[in-house]
Amino acid sequence: MKNIELLKTIIDMSFIQPELKYDYTALEPYIDARTMEIHYTKHHAGYTSKLNNAIEGTELDGKTIEEVLSVVSKFPAAVRNNAGGFYNHNLYWDVMQPGGSSEPKGELADAINAAFGSLEAFKDVFSKSAAGRFGSGWAWLLKDGNELKVESTPNQDNPLMDVSDVKGTPILGIDVWEHAYYLKYQNKRPEYIEAFWKVINWDEVDRRFKG
């Protein structure tokens, strides 16, 4: 019984890397299986493990990832970097699916049209933001009140962090670190970004928009 209680305590205070909802091969030919495997089992798993190590024994034990992100300025850089890496990758895997889904619908489509003029115009703004991020980072579609906007952040930062100049709730994000695309696309980041549109799970984006 004591061992079970100890295990429960460890699980309760730790962040756990979510299982992928699809196989490593599922997003091919747009994202190759080897990149998927390395990205998930090495990079994302590493952020998860290092985040747990960084918060162990601190007041962040037992907090949600959103609560951690909201106060990262008060803690060492390891919390900021790894909490961002954990959250960002959780979102990234969820907003993709094999074959994608056709296009945004309903209120999400209306909001995109209101903010950008059309779906194609939004894609252009988002793609330019992702391609234009110098070095490593992310591009985001954010919900800010009742409006949508596109922004980018460096490294593993995201708009939920109290240190971020960019504010809003991410509902779509693309990883533009080289480890996300270099094995297949090398330095051709725009080709990777174009491929990303083929695998977006708009149903998940819509869920986050309404959430």
Side-chain angles (χ1 to χ4, degrees):
M1 180 64 70
K2 289 183 178 180
N3 288 340
I4 293 175
E5 291 176 352
L6 177 60
L7 178 60
K8 184 178 186 300
T9 299
I10 292 172
I11 291 174
D12 285 346
M13 75 178 198
S14 299
F15 289 104
I16 299 173
Q17 183 184 18
E19 290 187 11
L20 278 178
K21 298 175 182 177
Y22 40 81
D23 295 334
Y24 298 139
T25 60
L27 302 183
E28 290 188 332
Y30 307 108
I31 300 178
D32 61 287
R34 184 60 175 151
T35 294
M36 284 289 302
E37 181 178 6
I38 294 172
H39 200 168
Y40 178 77
T41 65
K42 304 299 183 183
H43 295 281
H44 191 192
Y47 289 122
T48 305
S49 175
K50 291 174 184 177
L51 171 59
N52 286 322
N53 290 338
I55 68 171
E56 184 178 2
T58 75
E59 64 191 78
L60 297 177
D61 271 352
K63 301 291 187 182
T64 67
I65 188 60
E66 290 82 6
E67 289 172 332
V68 172
L69 294 172
S70 72
V71 294
V72 292
S73 64
K74 300 177 182 178
F75 296 89
V79 174
R80 174 178 178 173
N81 295 336
N82 293 296
F86 176 78
Y87 176 93
N88 296 352
H89 286 88
N90 290 351
L91 181 147
Y92 180 64
W93 307 129
D94 279 353
V95 298
M96 295 188 291
Q97 69 176 13
S101 55
S102 56
E103 61 181 35
K105 302 179 180 69
E107 293 179 6
L108 175 60
D110 291 342
I112 289 173
N113 290 335
F116 304 100
S118 69
L119 178 61
E120 289 306 312
F122 157 65
K123 287 182 177 181
D124 184 60
V125 172
F126 186 92
S127 295
K128 286 178 178 176
S129 180
R133 165 50 58 186
F134 181 77
S136 300
W138 293 74
W140 307 100
L141 175 63
L142 304 175
K143 184 178 181 181
D144 187 11
N146 294 322
E147 298 182 352
L148 296 179
K149 61 184 181 181
V150 167
E151 300 283 0
S152 72
T153 54
N155 303 314
Q156 292 296 351
D157 285 1
N158 69 49
L160 297 179
M161 292 180 172
D162 61 345
V163 295
S164 178
D165 294 332
V166 175
K167 300 300 182 184
T169 301
I171 64 172
L172 176 68
I174 183 173
D175 186 347
V176 292
W177 283 61
E178 286 188 344
H179 64 239
Y181 63 88
Y182 207 83
L183 286 181
K184 181 174 178 65
Y185 296 99
Q186 289 79 53
N187 63 332
K188 301 170 185 175
R189 185 191 287 184
E191 291 187 12
Y192 156 68
I193 297 166
E194 180 63 26
F196 178 71
W197 297 113
K198 307 293 186 182
V199 293
I200 291 181
N201 181 351
W202 285 111
D203 293 333
E204 174 63 18
V205 180
D206 182 66
R207 185 190 71 78
R208 291 172 180 270
F209 172 72
K210 293 175 178 175

